[in-house]
Amino acid sequence: MNFNRIVCFDLEMCCWNVDGKGTTGEIIEVGLAEIDLIKGEVVKRAQYYVKPEKDEISKFCVELTGISPRKIEKQGRPLADVLKSMIKNFGGTNKIYAAWGHDEQILDAECRAKGIEVPFSEFLNLATIYRIKSRKKNERMGQRKAMEELDIEWEGRQHSGYVDAYNLAQLALKIL
């Protein structure tokens, strides 16, 4: 296990807004940003688009994420293929993966439903770590707000897995 490197990841899923309530479906993007804790920097980034097997990308989802059905049709691959690329390019069970919240549960559930092995075994929930370190144990907070509290400038469009993973990597470098 490489404890000097953490792979920050963010998922975007098919999403809908029904009567003011958001719901999500299959994963359509995986963004990754690997940090080197010794160097204190992001050392690798990637973005993978995933073709959903059952869900369609709604107009709401396009507006929120910027991911269109056309983009998925042209650049998307099956989740199993994307996970193989992740393992090849970032390492699988020999790396620690981290997300803001419970993206590992979302990934795990979809992997189980599709009969795919989860690409990692060690996971950090950076939202929990941040709440503990900042003594805000009972306060739910988004990644962007945490970054503001630490004076880390948000870069790019929110709800892009690629951008969100990079910003999460910047936050991880501050709190780990």
Side-chain angles (χ1 to χ4, degrees):
M1 179 67 59
N2 186 338
F3 290 95
N4 297 323
R5 297 265 181 122
I6 308 290
V7 180
C8 297
F9 75 100
D10 184 75
L11 305 175
E12 299 300 327
M13 287 82 66
C14 289
C15 52
W16 304 269
N17 188 345
V18 181
D19 298 324
K21 181 174 177 161
T23 58
T24 59
E26 290 178 275
I27 297 165
I28 56 173
E29 181 191 10
V30 180
L32 300 116
E34 184 171 341
I35 59 174
D36 184 312
L37 294 173
I38 303 299
K39 293 180 182 176
E41 64 186 25
V42 175
V43 293
K44 192 184 309 185
R45 295 175 72 183
Q47 175 181 45
Y48 302 104
Y49 290 109
V50 181
K51 271 190 182 169
E53 292 178 6
K54 299 176 184 148
D55 291 336
E56 292 184 15
I57 299 170
S58 69
K59 183 179 177 186
F60 171 78
C61 190
V62 173
E63 291 170 3
L64 183 68
T65 66
I67 301 170
S68 67
R70 181 179 167 100
K71 185 176 280 188
I72 292 297
E73 188 58 39
K74 286 184 144 198
Q75 299 177 37
R77 299 184 293 148
L79 181 61
D81 292 351
V82 166
L83 297 180
K84 285 177 188 170
S85 292
M86 279 176 56
I87 292 167
K88 179 182 175 197
N89 296 317
F90 289 86
T93 56
N94 65 329
K95 292 278 181 71
I96 300 169
Y97 281 70
W100 188 267
H102 294 287
D103 280 16
E104 93 288 359
Q105 291 176 7
I106 294 166
L107 182 60
D108 182 67
E110 192 163 330
C111 284
R112 285 179 197 235
K114 294 179 177 179
I116 304 167
E117 192 171 326
V118 177
F120 52 83
S121 57
E122 292 288 331
F123 174 78
L124 300 174
N125 181 335
L126 294 175
T128 300
I129 292 169
Y130 180 76
R131 284 196 314 270
I132 291 168
K133 289 188 95 166
S134 64
R135 304 292 187 247
K136 297 179 181 191
K137 294 180 184 132
N138 296 320
E139 184 180 332
R140 281 189 47 110
M141 145 175 326
Q143 174 184 334
R144 192 163 189 156
K145 185 170 191 267
M147 289 178 66
E148 287 170 7
E149 287 185 1
L150 294 173
D151 292 322
I152 303 169
E153 187 174 335
W154 187 275
E155 294 184 26
R157 176 193 176 125
Q158 194 169 10
H159 300 297
S160 157
Y162 184 72
V163 169
D164 291 354
Y166 176 77
N167 285 312
L168 183 61
Q170 298 302 322
L171 178 61
L173 287 168
K174 286 263 188 173
I175 67 173
L176 294 178

